[in-house]
Amino acid sequence: MKLNLKIWRQQDAKSKGKMTDYSLGGVEGDMSFLEMLDILNEQLINKGEEPVVFDHDCREGICGSCSLMINGEPHGPDRMVTTCQLHMRKFNDGDTIVIEPFRAKAFPVIKDLMVDRTSFDRIQQSGGYISVNTSGNTVDANAIPINKHAADEAMDAATCIGCGACVAACKNASAMLFTSAKVSQFALLPQGQVEATERVQNMVRQMDLEGFGNCTNTGACEIECPKGISLENIARLNREYYSANLKG
Amino acid sequence: MGILDSKVPSGPLAEKWTSYKDHIELVNPANKRNIDIIVVGTGLAGGAAAATLAELGYNVKTFCYQDSPRRAHSIAAQGGINAAKNYQGDGDSNYRLFYDTVKGGDYRSREANVYRLAEVSANIIDQCVAQGVPFAREYGGLLDNRSFGGVLVSRTFYAKGQTGQQLLLGAYSAMNRQINRGKIQSHTRHEMMDLVKVDGKARGIIARNLVTGEIERHSAHAVVLATGGYGNVFFLSTNAMGSNVMAAWRAHRKGAFFANPCYTQIHPTCIPVSGDHQSKLTLMSESLRNDGRIWVPKRKEDAVAIQEGKLKPLQLKEEDRDYYLERRYPAFGNLVPRDVASRAAKERCDAGFGVNKTGEAVYLDFTSAIQRYGKEQALTQGLHNADDKEVTKLGKAVIEAKYGNLFQMYEKIVDENPYETPMMIYPAVHYTMGGLWVDYNLQTTVEGCYAAGEANFSDHGANRLGASALMQGLADGYFVLPYTIGDYLSNDIRTGPIATDSPEFDTAEKEVKARLDKLMGGKGLHSVDSYHKKLGKIMWNKCGMSRNAKELQEAIDEISALRADFWENVKIPGIADGMNQELEKAGRVADFLELGELFAKDALTRNESCGGHFREEYQTPEGEAMRDDENFKFASAWEYKGEPKDAVLHKEELVYENIELKTRSYK
């Protein structure tokens, strides 16, 4: 199929960017979206132009690197997939596809479609861990029985890949779904109880410091999340946060 | 030929590690604050090492090319992690895990290292649970296990089909705790361009800031390389797009011997190649072989009809299917080790029984498992009159709970529903057992330079068993390196900070810049990817699942010519002092073009078949691998001497004091 691409090009963080039009033929349904961009880039390189820069790595939907806004939706029109797992069979011959970077104050553009998501790392650094030493002197793993239901729910929250689609989808650029996923994982497990108060307070403080917006419960994050992280996590974060503040 | 000293401690196998730890030199906590360690790569091995070393008190600097340590490719490991916990009471023990690993590796790994790995494995699970890793549980609240290939016990712990992700996020969280304390300085979007040696010791690295293009000097008292494997030398592999050999290869060029490059793991269950545009291959976890049965049609005419789209797999009756693994290997069936399963698939497909358009795929079928689980569910739920439809529905729900994310991934890529029709799979390059040669301390032949995880060669011999990569990465990082590196650093307590303005750093930086200039100065005829794809084709066709002397020699010549062409004609747009993804790729492909040749040379030198290395000249009449213990019971460690063709072979004789060498049989 033949496609009209409108792609955001921006030289670096300081330069002004603009949408640029490309026409691309020979696209097949079995190609992933990124493989389609590979072909475009190969053509640009052969013409001596700079290829389009975008983040990608595992190309199997788990590393969370890829981060494209496709026709106004993070990771494109398909549900429960990252951009690398989106296939061109979801598009039709002659389609115009608009490709932009994830946009948020806390995700500044580095170049073209690549953004800086280190704000996510700093939220995790502020409290997304359990303070146990890794020296190996711990209790036997089965000494802490965990209710299967709680373990499964913790696992569901823990599957967040940190891609930032939730932020990109949110009109407030809120990072609540991302932050709540980690808070929930530990809130659901007995190992996480000890530091629960400080964890939620520190992570929320850092989230605010980074310039992410507030949550107004539109639920766009849940719909666009490629891993199906549930809004229930945000409710749980709020509960954890209020009870932490009551404790002081 | 030189002699390599593996520094394996004396004493009985089961006591070596304990007694070693009792006798090493320690660094006092106050002195640790004055010692810097660089860790390159932040996957399971690097992340775990960085966290533990920082927790002990060292100043750690980490480097990764990704934008966050959480994205290292360990994250993509699906099925699980082995540990000799014997929670299932099925006869597991440290010795059995040790034995299975040595046998699985076709008797080409170092006994003492493997035993240590088995010994610390149980502790890994304890550690990860304490960190909050949400492993799968049974209804009683205790940890669940599954089975993997090449073993007869259930010792694999898992978190759905995302075990690697959960373990990596565990290590990442441990790192984050240390970053928050200021004990780890994390450098993301940085690539190691060279190792810097001062007075023969590794004392730092030259790194490139991938955002600004700036060339940076970083010094330390020791350097740990945990940069993963080199499977991307094949272009198409299950590795991440950025996975590369650069750090390890740069160290190799500075004196670190490279061991067993030809030992590559071709994983049997990957999604088949769909076309020329393909940029990477996707793995379907080995855990699927717990429940999936692998088959091709018994009759060639049926296979041809399927290839032409005239026949559907479900139309083929049970008696017309060839469950070739169950037929050839009744004892292990579908759970034979990866190398055996891959070769068996290739054998059937080469004989014309493949089941996709190109004839390069076999079926992985869940119908029996769905029926089995469905009946079990119907019974436990008291549905004694459940009809076929009901049973199938119940069975599918069980399969979905176990492998849901894998099935979804398959459907997204292939556009077929694997609950309704068998999956199509084919082997693909997955893991590299070879890597930097290390002694028992995980130190390379460059003093002060260590290698951990997939980047080293030590534990898996010629073939790695499933769910053992996660185990080894974490064992090296959490439990081995923190001891062994301390022993080395105890001599450095009076050294003081390492200066970065020494002539050694000057020279290294100059060389890095010259190399970048040379890459940018190519004639500009062909893209980096076009060279990478050509290299990949040579590797897959001539150094892949089966190899022979003639083709290996051809591979050596072709790669050498391709390398010369690359340096002459590569085309890299843009500039070197700024973000330039083509330049990043070019540096990596340049090193693959050297490694690939050494790989072929290593394979040509090893006149036997063992594990993932199958030489057509050395096989039994039934087509099984034929090892030659008399002449090849050694690890090959190659010393860099300029061109790969000039590399010098050093042999580490492998000593088996606790295991009797046998022909590996899974029949």
Side-chain angles (χ1 to χ4, degrees):
Chain A
M1 59 183 117
K2 200 161 180 273
L3 299 168
N4 302 307
L5 306 173
K6 289 182 180 297
I7 303 180
W8 183 258
R9 303 298 310 256
Q10 182 174 338
Q11 191 53 37
D12 53 41
K14 287 175 200 130
S15 310
K16 222 177 148 197
K18 67 171 181 11
M19 299 301 293
T20 305
D21 290 348
Y22 300 95
S23 160
L24 186 67
V27 176
E28 290 162 32
D30 281 343
M31 289 177 183
S32 73
F33 199 84
L34 297 183
E35 283 164 353
M36 181 274 290
L37 287 180
D38 287 345
I39 295 179
L40 173 71
N41 276 346
E42 184 77 12
Q43 291 182 3
L44 292 177
I45 293 165
N46 287 334
K47 278 196 278 180
E49 291 176 35
E50 273 202 63
V52 179
V53 170
F54 57 91
D55 262 323
H56 66 105
D57 204 21
C58 78
R59 294 206 179 186
E60 49 187 278
I62 192 77
C63 75
S65 293
C66 58
S67 51
L68 302 182
M69 204 72 177
I70 300 162
N71 288 339
E73 281 189 273
H75 300 303
D78 205 0
R79 293 280 90 90
M80 298 284 287
V81 290
T82 52
T83 300
C84 63
Q85 299 287 70
L86 173 66
H87 280 71
M88 295 315 291
R89 62 180 82 96
K90 299 284 167 187
F91 297 89
N92 299 311
D93 187 40
D95 275 1
T96 296
I97 306 178
V98 180
I99 311 169
E100 300 163 274
F102 280 3
R103 295 216 187 268
K105 186 178 152 202
F107 289 169
V109 171
I110 293 173
K111 185 171 183 174
D112 296 339
L113 304 171
M114 179 187 277
V115 297
D116 180 352
R117 286 169 288 182
T118 47
S119 47
F120 266 14
D121 287 313
R122 289 187 292 271
I123 294 175
Q124 296 295 340
Q125 288 156 16
S126 71
Y129 48 79
I130 289 170
S131 297
V132 288
N133 279 354
T134 55
S135 56
N137 295 314
T138 180
V139 295
D140 183 86
N142 263 350
I144 322 169
I146 298 175
N147 174 283
K148 180 174 166 54
H149 184 65
D152 287 349
E153 258 194 300
M155 175 64 199
D156 288 342
T159 54
C160 167
I161 56 172
C163 65
C166 48
V167 173
C170 179
K171 61 177 180 162
N172 308 318
S174 166
M176 280 288 270
L177 194 67
F178 170 77
T179 308
S180 71
K182 190 49 83 179
V183 168
S184 278
Q185 178 195 342
F186 290 146
L188 285 158
L189 297 172
Q191 304 95 301
Q193 299 307 317
V194 185
E195 299 166 280
T197 306
E198 299 80 11
R199 177 179 306 113
V200 69
Q201 288 177 332
N202 290 339
M203 291 182 78
V204 168
R205 184 184 312 121
Q206 190 63 38
M207 181 177 83
D208 290 342
L209 275 176
E210 296 291 346
F212 290 104
N214 289 324
C215 172
T216 50
N217 291 316
T218 63
C221 52
E222 184 189 53
I223 292 170
E224 298 296 351
C225 174
K227 296 293 146 181
I229 303 289
S230 156
L231 273 184
E232 283 171 28
N233 293 301
I234 296 187
R236 194 175 289 108
L237 179 143
N238 283 329
R239 193 167 68 223
E240 290 286 312
Y241 187 66
Y242 294 131
S243 68
N245 287 349
L246 286 174
K247 279 186 219 156
Chain B
M1 297 213 185
I3 293 168
L4 293 157
D5 181 5
S6 62
K7 302 206 177 112
V8 170
S10 56
L13 184 68
E15 289 161 30
K16 282 182 198 287
W17 179 234
T18 310
S19 122
Y20 171 90
K21 288 192 290 183
D22 287 343
H23 295 96
I24 50 169
E25 298 293 330
L26 298 177
V27 182
N28 112 17
N31 284 329
K32 287 195 184 109
R33 289 196 281 274
N34 301 323
I35 292 180
D36 307 320
I37 302 173
I38 283 174
V39 179
V40 187
T42 52
L44 283 190
T52 310
L53 291 166
E55 169 190 306
L56 288 170
Y58 298 105
N59 307 311
V60 177
K61 290 188 215 178
T62 60
F63 294 83
C64 64
Y65 71 79
Q66 300 90 347
D67 68 333
S68 166
R70 68 176 298 150
R71 310 209 197 279
H73 200 54
S74 308
I75 204 158
Q78 298 169 351
I81 176 166
N82 289 328
K85 277 287 198 186
N86 195 27
Y87 280 163
Q88 303 303 324
D90 54 3
D92 203 5
S93 64
N94 288 349
Y95 182 84
R96 202 175 282 275
L97 174 52
F98 156 74
Y99 177 84
D100 287 344
T101 308
V102 172
K103 178 187 172 193
D106 218 352
Y107 306 93
R108 288 294 175 265
S109 49
R110 192 189 287 149
E111 269 195 347
N113 285 53
V114 179
Y115 195 87
R116 175 176 65 188
L117 176 68
E119 205 177 333
V120 303
S121 67
N123 220 328
I124 297 174
I125 304 303
D126 301 338
Q127 179 57 48
C128 293
V129 167
Q131 279 174 347
V133 171
F135 284 121
R137 304 241 162 205
E138 293 169 345
Y139 283 99
L142 302 183
L143 291 156
D144 194 16
N145 291 113
R146 53 169 61 140
S147 286
F148 259 61
V151 302
L152 298 169
V153 294
S154 273
R155 63 160 75 101
T156 305
F157 294 80
Y158 66 100
K160 281 198 180 160
Q162 291 121 296
T163 317
Q165 178 197 31
Q166 293 310 314
L167 294 172
L168 181 68
L169 293 180
Y172 167 70
S173 75
M175 270 183 78
N176 282 336
R177 176 172 167 236
Q178 301 304 329
I179 293 173
N180 202 29
R181 289 177 66 217
K183 292 304 290 181
I184 295 181
Q185 271 182 42
S186 161
H187 301 264
T188 59
R189 295 199 195 268
H190 274 69
E191 183 151 67
M192 169 176 156
M193 307 299 286
D194 212 349
L195 181 73
V196 182
K197 274 164 70 177
V198 180
D199 298 331
K201 292 179 175 176
R203 291 299 198 188
I205 63 169
I206 305 291
R208 182 167 179 270
N209 178 328
L210 300 180
V211 176
T212 63
E214 204 177 325
I215 303 299
E216 302 172 353
R217 303 177 181 195
H218 296 273
S219 67
H221 297 85
V223 175
V224 176
L225 303 180
T227 48
Y230 48 86
N232 267 352
V233 67
F234 287 83
F235 184 70
L236 285 181
S237 80
T238 65
N239 286 8
M241 299 302 286
S243 301
N244 68 84
V245 76
M246 192 135 112
W249 197 255
R250 296 286 110 192
H252 173 56
R253 291 174 63 118
K254 286 284 164 81
F257 292 179
F258 207 100
N260 303 332
C262 79
Y263 289 166
T264 320
Q265 177 157 85
I266 316 270
H267 196 294
T269 54
C270 300
I271 298 178
V273 176
S274 71
D276 280 340
H277 57 269
Q278 194 124 6
S279 59
K280 80 150 270 160
L281 297 172
T282 303
L283 176 76
M284 288 283 107
S285 168
E286 176 164 321
S287 60
L288 294 172
R289 286 199 273 143
N290 272 288
D291 286 315
R293 296 176 72 196
I294 295 177
W295 63 274
V296 292
K298 232 176 223 169
R299 287 189 302 259
K300 206 179 262 180
E301 55 268 31
D302 288 340
V304 173
I306 288 177
Q307 287 163 13
E308 291 169 349
K310 290 179 194 152
L311 188 68
K312 294 275 171 240
L314 294 176
Q315 293 169 312
L316 226 60
K317 285 200 218 83
E318 197 60 25
E319 58 267 28
D320 295 330
R321 303 173 176 193
D322 175 15
Y323 295 92
Y324 58 86
L325 286 176
E326 296 170 26
R327 168 170 59 80
R328 282 178 69 178
Y329 308 99
F332 283 70
N334 292 295
L335 281 173
V336 290
R338 293 175 175 177
D339 54 337
V340 177
S342 289
R343 273 198 298 279
K346 179 176 158 56
E347 189 276 328
R348 283 293 80 191
C349 290
D350 287 353
F353 293 89
V355 295
N356 68 350
K357 264 185 281 180
T358 57
E360 286 184 319
V362 300
Y363 287 127
L364 178 61
D365 193 337
F366 292 86
T367 318
S368 333
I370 288 173
Q371 292 307 316
R372 192 176 73 240
Y373 285 124
K375 281 178 194 149
E376 190 184 310
Q377 283 295 312
L379 278 177
T380 51
Q381 295 180 16
L383 307 168
H384 298 294
N385 299 320
D387 56 14
D388 278 357
K389 218 172 131 193
E390 189 70 23
V391 167
T392 306
K393 195 177 149 208
L394 290 167
K396 280 180 185 167
V398 175
I399 292 290
E400 189 179 355
K402 286 187 148 191
Y403 313 110
N405 68 316
L406 300 171
F407 275 55
Q408 186 217 6
M409 188 151 79
Y410 182 87
E411 189 171 356
K412 292 287 179 195
I413 295 173
V414 182
D415 207 20
E416 276 185 0
N417 181 350
Y419 294 100
E420 305 292 338
T421 180
M423 281 185 182
M424 283 184 289
I425 51 159
Y426 197 68
V429 175
H430 179 55
Y431 184 92
T432 51
M433 282 74 67
L436 291 173
W437 185 89
V438 290
D439 61 16
Y440 189 72
N441 302 317
L442 304 185
Q443 185 167 245
T444 66
T445 48
V446 173
E447 219 183 321
C449 178
Y450 291 76
E454 190 179 349
N456 74 28
F457 88 109
S458 66
D459 294 357
H460 306 297
N463 172 57
R464 179 175 66 73
L465 289 182
S468 283
L470 300 181
M471 172 173 71
Q472 187 224 338
L474 289 179
D476 285 0
Y478 283 139
F479 302 130
V480 178
L481 262 182
Y483 288 100
T484 60
I485 211 167
D487 187 40
Y488 170 76
L489 291 170
S490 62
N491 295 314
D492 260 326
I493 55 175
R494 289 189 194 82
T495 308
I498 307 293
T500 55
D501 56 1
S502 59
E504 289 85 353
F505 271 94
D506 288 345
T507 314
E509 185 183 307
K510 222 177 274 168
E511 281 170 10
V512 165
K513 286 184 168 160
R515 187 165 183 262
L516 290 172
D517 287 343
K518 199 174 165 197
L519 284 171
M520 293 300 296
K523 277 194 194 129
L525 294 180
H526 310 292
S527 70
V528 178
D529 275 356
S530 69
Y531 286 101
H532 198 176
K533 284 182 182 175
K534 277 184 195 158
L535 172 64
K537 283 232 166 79
I538 300 172
M539 294 299 298
W540 181 246
N541 291 334
K542 297 182 173 171
C543 311
M545 266 187 283
S546 72
R547 303 148 180 187
N548 61 59
K550 178 176 162 282
E551 289 183 345
L552 286 168
Q553 187 53 53
E554 286 168 12
I556 290 173
D557 299 338
E558 289 168 24
I559 296 169
S560 169
L562 187 66
R563 188 169 64 243
D565 185 347
F566 170 87
W567 280 102
E568 181 96 350
N569 295 316
V570 70
K571 176 172 195 145
I572 304 167
I575 49 169
D577 38 359
M579 158 76 58
N580 190 335
Q581 290 182 319
E582 286 302 303
L583 180 59
E584 292 165 27
K585 276 197 274 184
R588 296 166 191 165
V589 171
D591 284 346
F592 280 138
L593 283 163
E594 290 184 17
L595 166 91
E597 188 180 332
L598 185 67
F599 185 125
K601 179 177 163 138
D602 185 46
L604 184 59
T605 311
R606 189 165 283 278
N607 292 321
E608 63 163 348
S609 292
C610 59
H613 171 64
F614 189 81
R615 281 281 299 272
E616 288 157 12
E617 303 95 322
Y618 307 98
Q619 56 179 312
T620 64
E622 300 88 48
E624 303 294 339
M626 215 156 70
R627 232 173 46 225
D628 178 356
D629 291 333
E630 203 170 310
N631 296 306
F632 291 93
K633 192 164 59 59
F634 60 81
S636 306
W638 297 93
E639 182 183 4
Y640 181 79
K641 289 281 183 193
E643 296 281 305
K645 68 174 165 44
D646 302 323
V648 173
L649 176 66
H650 299 264
K651 295 177 184 176
E652 179 196 342
E653 282 298 330
L654 298 168
V655 184
Y656 291 94
E657 290 170 338
N658 300 278
I659 281 187
E660 185 198 346
L661 271 69
K662 288 187 194 156
T663 298
R664 202 164 60 125
S665 167
Y666 293 94
K667 290 181 189 287

